[in-house]
Amino acid sequence: MLVTGAGRGMGAIYARRAVEGGARAVSLWDVDADAAQRVAASLERPGVELEVRRVDLADRDAVQGAALEVLERFGRVDVLVNNAGIVRGAPFWEHDPERDIETTLRVNTLAPLWLTRAVLPSMMEDLTRPKRILNIASAAGTLANPNMSVYAASKWALIGWSDSLRLELSRGGHGHVAVTTFCPSYVSTGMFAGARGPLLTPIMTPESAAAAAWGGMLRGAPLILRPWTVKLAMALRGVLPVRWWDAVAGTVFRVYSSMDHFTGRPERTPAR
């Protein structure tokens, strides 16, 4: 198994679930190698090989090089979890073109594409066991929200790619490789510190969110939306005129004000 953003939050939980589920080898990627090393130390078990890699997912060469090294060491990847992500919560015009816009798209969107492209051929070729790809997107990729324009763009793109990949694999006769897209609302990992859940949408714990994603991935479910209000909002947005939906989302569900008090993680703790 290979999981990105494994040094904290849901990434660490996915690594733990893999070990508890009988994984023989887990590669933990994070830009914060010390955090990932602490997670690995807590997961040490007889017969389980754990490795930590410091990888800056904004660097394509680093991603591709590390992926090649993993394949050389372990031979294959049975489960890939594209979990790492970053968020910049501000009006679009306050985003720095390189630090905020380009880096967000590289980490949240391009890195999963680069990494999956690197390991997918070996997954397709190996028919000895089912393969799984879990892409962690966001409810922000299904509904527009003020102060999340670049983050939302990165997740909308991730969702479109992830589900298209699922269809391509199915049509291409590679049904043993299942792709699951997970779209949660706010999760209390610290990444969205200060954000408030919309009406009837509690902020989920990392454990509950990871459990939903992990279970869906094991089943090979195409799309997991949590909590249930994410699916409701998608349905309402689909049937209501845009201005009506704006009124409902803004004044009733309070979606559009959910990022008004966003602070996020301190810059000194890398998020990807």
Side-chain angles (χ1 to χ4, degrees):
M1 174 178 167
L2 191 165
V3 56
T4 65
R8 56 172 56 80
M10 291 167 62
I13 296 172
Y14 295 134
R16 189 192 75 217
R17 282 183 169 268
V19 171
E20 293 174 348
R24 291 180 293 179
V26 181
S27 182
L28 296 88
W29 289 22
D30 204 290
V31 74
D32 186 343
D34 291 338
Q37 191 63 57
R38 288 192 292 271
V39 173
S42 72
L43 297 176
E44 290 182 354
R45 305 283 193 283
V48 180
E49 187 173 0
L50 299 165
E51 69 152 19
V52 171
R53 292 184 179 272
R54 185 196 180 280
V55 183
D56 182 355
L57 295 179
D59 184 335
R60 182 181 63 186
D61 291 340
V63 171
Q64 293 176 334
L68 179 60
E69 291 174 0
V70 169
L71 291 175
E72 289 177 345
R73 177 171 180 174
F74 298 113
R76 67 177 188 266
V77 173
D78 292 328
V79 178
L80 170 62
V81 181
N82 287 307
N83 165 75
I86 59 175
V87 62
R88 301 286 190 261
F92 177 70
W93 53 87
E94 294 182 7
H95 285 68
D96 178 82
E98 181 176 353
R99 184 191 66 243
D100 299 329
I101 297 175
E102 185 172 346
T103 301
T104 297
L105 291 171
R106 282 178 171 268
V107 173
N108 292 1
T109 310
L110 292 176
L113 273 67
W114 295 332
L115 178 53
T116 303
R117 180 62 184 85
V119 304
L120 184 58
S122 63
M123 299 177 85
M124 295 165 62
E125 292 171 4
D126 182 14
L127 302 177
T128 61
R129 63 184 64 199
K131 310 296 182 184
R132 295 290 184 266
I133 299 173
L134 174 60
N135 295 315
I136 308 303
S138 170
T142 67
L143 297 170
N145 196 10
N147 293 339
M148 297 184 78
S149 57
V150 175
Y151 179 79
S154 72
K155 294 302 185 177
W156 280 48
L158 184 68
I159 293 170
W161 162 74
S162 182
D163 212 34
S164 295
L165 173 62
R166 174 185 66 84
L167 294 171
E168 290 170 353
L169 288 167
S170 177
R171 293 185 64 189
H174 305 288
H176 67 291
V177 185
V179 180
T180 296
T181 310
F182 181 49
C183 299
S185 185
Y186 298 124
V187 182
S188 60
T189 60
M191 182 174 175
F192 281 97
R196 297 179 298 180
L199 180 68
L200 302 177
T201 307
I203 293 180
M204 291 182 291
T205 65
E207 285 286 354
S208 63
W214 189 261
M217 180 268 292
L218 292 179
R219 298 192 307 273
L223 181 65
I224 304 295
L225 304 168
R226 290 293 186 279
W228 64 272
T229 48
V230 175
K231 185 177 294 187
L232 172 63
M234 289 178 63
L236 290 175
R237 178 178 174 271
V239 299
L240 292 177
V242 172
R243 297 299 185 189
W244 290 19
W245 165 248
D246 283 348
V248 171
T251 62
V252 178
F253 288 104
R254 300 192 296 276
V255 173
Y256 292 170
S257 60
S258 63
M259 287 285 287
D260 285 356
H261 302 285
F262 168 84
T263 58
R265 285 198 186 103
E267 286 294 329
R268 66 177 180 274
T269 56
R272 60 182 189 274

